[in-house]
Amino acid sequence: MIIKKIIDSLFLEVEDTVDAVFNHKENPESIHAFRVKIRQLRSFLYFVKPLINENNYVVMQTKLKNQSSYFSEIREHHVIIDYWKTFCQSRPELISYPNELSKYFDQKLDEIEKKTYESISSALILTNIKSLQSDEIKFEKIASDKNFEKFCTDRIKEIKKKLSKEISSLDIRDDDFIHKTRIKAKKLRYSLNCIKPYINKDYKRLIKLSKKATELLGGVCDSIRMIDLLNSYEKSDYPKELNYQTGLLVGHLIENQTSLIKKANSLDF
């Protein structure tokens, strides 16, 4: 069964990234790779959702999301550190790098990494992942290999229609809607890549569009999350002398959101 074959393969890809998360903690890409593989698996499960028992689907998605969430704070700080460094290096007339804010971010990252890695292990993550192997997925309907392509065509059409409507009506004031639209574009992109070897139809244009939408809205969502992150720091822990540097970053993030939303609005699905 093609669907089971894809799911089994995606589970193995997740497992293959776990050791690097713990053996190469200094490399931000190790956590990113693990989270991407979890996302790919969750995306394909969403794609075949019409075939899966509803309760079973919710349980699977929740448990997979929980594995990824162990590293959410670390990943967020990797992103904000990289973003701040890139901004400073592009505007040396405004601020040099490294600086007080970059040192503060590094300090917060060290604290979060220490707390995270004290609470989990690679053995725990692997045990959790293995317990969710595809044999536990309960299919209510079966898309046989014979009618797999028809199922994919119908499902793609359904998701594309929703995405097309949402992408054209994005509102910078609606963070939740932007996030959900980005997730839908990401799910479509990952799912198309998963089914590509098993279908005859060429979806290169749609893969390219969904990738572009994911990148643009990813930038918006990252900006939103970075501003939330800055606002979440305890006032007693946040030196007042950093306010100028924070202001530079927030101002740039807000400006960036507006530009990215306009580009996303123009995508033609």
Side-chain angles (χ1 to χ4, degrees), residues 185-243:
K186 192 175 290 188
K187 286 175 177 176
L188 178 60
R189 172 193 168 194
Y190 287 145
S191 297
L192 287 170
N193 283 323
C194 287
I195 66 173
K196 189 165 53 175
Y198 304 99
I199 59 176
N200 294 315
K201 191 167 181 179
D202 184 355
Y203 285 106
K204 284 182 182 177
R205 180 180 178 275
L206 191 54
I207 291 173
K208 185 177 179 180
L209 270 175
S210 56
K211 182 175 185 287
K212 187 65 176 176
T214 300
E215 290 171 348
L216 292 172
L217 298 183
V220 177
C221 291
D222 283 346
S223 296
I224 292 168
R225 182 55 195 143
M226 283 187 274
I227 292 172
D228 288 343
L229 190 63
L230 290 167
N231 291 333
S232 73
Y233 291 140
E234 293 291 336
K235 297 302 179 185
S236 59
D237 182 40
Y238 197 74
K240 290 182 179 178
E241 58 266 27
L242 298 186
N243 287 343

Side-chain angles (χ1 to χ4, degrees), residues 239-254:
K240 290 182 179 178
E241 58 266 27
L242 298 186
N243 287 343
Y244 168 72
Q245 294 176 24
T246 303
L248 286 177
L249 178 55
V250 171
H252 181 67
L253 291 171
I254 293 173

Side-chain angles (χ1 to χ4, degrees), residues 63 65 102 153 159 171 197 220 262:
K63 289 183 177 180
K65 183 179 181 180
S102 68
T153 301
I159 298 172
D171 187 334
V220 177
K262 286 181 179 177

Side-chain angles (χ1 to χ4, degrees), residues 69 71 78 82 102 107-108 152 193 206-207 248 262:
S69 66
F71 304 101
H78 283 159
D82 185 60
S102 68
Q107 173 197 327
K108 297 299 288 187
C152 291
N193 283 323
L206 191 54
I207 291 173
L248 286 177
K262 286 181 179 177

Side-chain angles (χ1 to χ4, degrees), residues 4 20 32 52 62 88 97 103 157 176 198 211 213 269:
K4 186 178 184 302
H32 181 56
I52 303 176
T62 301
C88 293
Y97 190 93
K103 292 173 186 175
K157 184 178 179 180
D176 188 54
Y198 304 99
K211 182 175 185 287
F269 278 86

